[in-house]
């Protein structure tokens, strides 16, 4: 049924979203560390 | 750069937002089920759209942060390399300057063979002459000057013009005890032809081996004995008794010769 397919897609996109959030947090932290070193 | 990282990758309470299925015992159960399914699908669709849009936003933000991070990293590397170059140059300059200062004259540093050959030479110089250049037969390149606490006259540092193949260095400073002299301290031995014959009169003292005892005479220069002889001659000629005695001796010699 289309509902199951939607849930699956939603889970996939959500997992991707979570991964992106983690990457962004990591990158942002590194950026701030580097910025502090420069200042 | 500020980014809101409070993303909501997946709404955990999303299932609670879905319409609750009420138990139905009526004949219109199929219609109701279809309605629920349709409603659930709509909500799932909406949630998927929201998460997708958030996903897109996160990707864009990540790209921007990555770009900024790369720029900052490049800047950091550039500054670091520039600082390294400056540090190396400064250290080299300081090393050149301090080589003589850190090793007192006459005391071998023990670092290299060159450092063990430290010698000092005195040059007569007019008080008005502030150039601190001495004619010792070699060509020199000045690379620094400083004033020390113990002596108000500036101290000049020179490197042999054959540098870097010849590592001899010298420092020149007006003597604190007798300002009519400049003192040149040499470090190392030249590895090329020696000085010209037409050099000024100097006395070289080997301070490494024998303290203040004069031991070496440079080619074409007088020894300490020469200086002493000159000083004695000068003082004797001023003594009228000595002059009379010398005149008598010479005249006596002449008379003796005329008799023979």
């Amino acid at each position: 049924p289309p509902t199951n397919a939607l849930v699956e897609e939603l889970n996939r996109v959500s997992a991707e979203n979570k991964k992106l959030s983690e990457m962004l947090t990591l990158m942002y932290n590194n950026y701030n560390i580097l910025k502090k070193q420069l200042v | 750069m500020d980014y809101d990282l409070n993303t909501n990758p997946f709404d955990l309470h999303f299932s609670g937002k879905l319409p609750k299925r009420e138990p139905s015992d009526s004949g219109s159960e199929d219609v109701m089920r279809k309605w629920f399914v349709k409603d659930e699908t709509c909500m799932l669709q909406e949630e998927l759209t929201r998460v997708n849009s958030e996903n897109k936003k996160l990707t864009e933000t990540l790209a921007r942060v990555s770009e900024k991070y790369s720029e900052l990293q490049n800047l950091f590397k550039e500054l670091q390399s520039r600082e390294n170059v400056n540090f190396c140059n400064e250290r080299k300059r300081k090393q050149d300057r301090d080589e003589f200062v850190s090793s007192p004259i006459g005391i071998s540093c023990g670092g290299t063979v060159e450092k063990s050959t430290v010698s000092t030479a005195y040059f007569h110089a007019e008080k008005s002459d502030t150039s601190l250049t001495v004619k010792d037969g070699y060509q020199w390149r000045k690379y620094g000057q400083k004033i020390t606490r113990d002596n108000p006259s500036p101290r000049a540092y020179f490197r042999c013009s054959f540098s870097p193949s010849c590592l001899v260095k010298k420092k020149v400073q007006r003597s604190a005890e007798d300002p009519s002299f400049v003192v040149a301290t040499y470090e190392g031995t030249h590895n090329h032809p020696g000085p010209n014959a037409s050099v000024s009169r100097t006395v070289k003292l080997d301070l490494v081996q024998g303290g203040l005892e004069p031991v070496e005479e440079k080619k074409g220069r007088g020894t300490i004995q020469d200086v002493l002889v000159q000083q004695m001659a000068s003082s004797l000629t001023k003594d009228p008794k000595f002059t009379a005695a010398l005149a008598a001796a010479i005249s006596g010699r002449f008379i003796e010769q005329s008799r023979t």
Side-chain angles (χ1 to χ4, degrees):
Chain A
T3 313
N4 284 345
L6 272 173
V7 169
E8 262 179 36
E9 178 66 3
L10 189 60
N11 283 336
R12 191 191 64 77
V13 177
S14 289
E16 201 173 303
N17 209 333
K18 194 182 167 198
K19 215 190 289 181
L20 278 169
S21 290
E22 284 169 1
M23 276 170 73
L24 186 59
T25 309
L26 197 73
M27 189 58 90
Y28 190 68
N29 286 343
N30 285 343
Y31 175 85
N32 277 333
I33 289 167
L34 200 60
K35 204 172 159 185
K36 271 182 195 169
Q37 274 185 307
L38 272 169
V39 172
Chain B
M1 187 167 67
D2 291 319
Y3 294 107
D4 181 15
L5 302 178
N6 296 319
T7 52
N8 183 15
F10 187 70
D11 192 348
L12 297 172
H13 305 289
F14 178 73
S15 57
K17 290 176 187 171
L18 289 171
K20 286 177 184 160
R21 295 176 188 222
E22 298 289 338
S24 169
D25 53 357
S26 68
S28 62
E29 197 178 329
D30 282 347
V31 179
M32 286 294 280
R33 190 178 292 152
K34 276 180 188 170
W35 182 83
F36 277 123
V37 168
K38 195 182 171 189
D39 198 42
E40 202 177 317
T41 308
C42 274
M43 290 197 81
L44 278 169
Q45 195 74 55
E46 270 175 28
E47 181 63 9
L48 189 61
T49 310
R50 189 190 67 76
V51 176
N52 263 328
S53 125
E54 200 167 289
N55 206 330
K56 196 181 163 195
K57 209 158 55 179
L58 276 169
T59 310
E60 284 169 3
T61 313
L62 187 62
R64 270 208 306 278
V65 173
S66 295
E67 199 182 324
K68 293 274 176 193
Y69 181 79
S70 294
E71 280 174 19
L72 207 63
Q73 203 173 30
N74 288 339
L75 183 71
F76 184 73
K77 278 180 189 168
E78 197 186 312
L79 284 172
Q80 215 170 21
S81 63
R82 211 181 294 170
E83 204 171 309
N84 279 346
V85 170
N86 286 344
F87 177 73
C88 288
N89 287 344
E90 185 57 35
R91 197 172 56 176
K92 196 174 179 305
R93 273 200 297 273
K94 196 173 183 307
Q95 197 179 354
D96 286 344
R97 257 199 326 264
D98 292 352
E99 263 179 3
F100 283 108
V101 179
S102 60
S103 56
I105 301 163
I107 298 173
S108 170
C109 291
T112 61
V113 176
E114 288 298 316
K115 288 203 174 193
S116 65
T117 55
V118 175
S119 58
T120 304
Y122 292 85
F123 295 86
H124 184 73
E126 294 298 324
K127 284 182 182 176
S128 56
D129 183 13
T130 55
S131 64
L132 289 175
T133 50
V134 289
K135 289 177 183 173
D136 54 12
Y138 287 98
Q139 296 287 318
W140 300 91
R141 276 203 312 263
K142 192 174 173 180
Y143 68 91
Q145 186 164 311
K146 71 182 281 191
I147 291 177
T148 51
R149 278 183 201 168
D150 56 327
N151 190 338
S153 307
R155 181 185 290 173
Y157 295 90
F158 298 87
R159 193 179 278 134
C160 181
S161 61
F162 284 80
S163 172
S165 65
C166 177
L167 298 172
V168 180
K169 288 175 183 175
K170 73 167 177 180
K171 66 171 183 180
V172 182
Q173 190 173 31
R174 197 167 280 278
S175 169
E177 290 80 26
D178 185 354
S180 61
F181 282 95
V182 289
V183 187
T185 306
Y186 296 88
E187 192 183 272
T189 312
H190 291 280
N191 56 7
H192 50 90
N196 301 327
S198 58
V199 292
S200 64
R201 178 176 290 270
T202 60
V203 178
K204 187 176 180 185
L205 305 174
D206 188 337
L207 300 176
V208 175
Q209 300 295 326
L212 291 169
E213 187 185 353
V215 292
E216 187 183 347
E217 181 186 359
K218 277 198 174 179
K219 200 178 3 173
R221 300 174 189 178
T223 61
I224 188 86
Q225 285 88 350
D226 290 339
V227 175
L228 286 171
V229 167
Q230 273 194 340
Q231 282 177 351
M232 281 171 72
S234 171
S235 64
L236 286 171
T237 48
K238 285 171 191 167
D239 184 355
K241 285 180 188 171
F242 175 78
T243 315
L246 186 66
I250 292 169
S251 58
R253 182 80 177 157
F254 277 135
I255 291 164
E256 213 172 274
Q257 276 183 346
S258 61
R259 278 179 191 165
T260 57

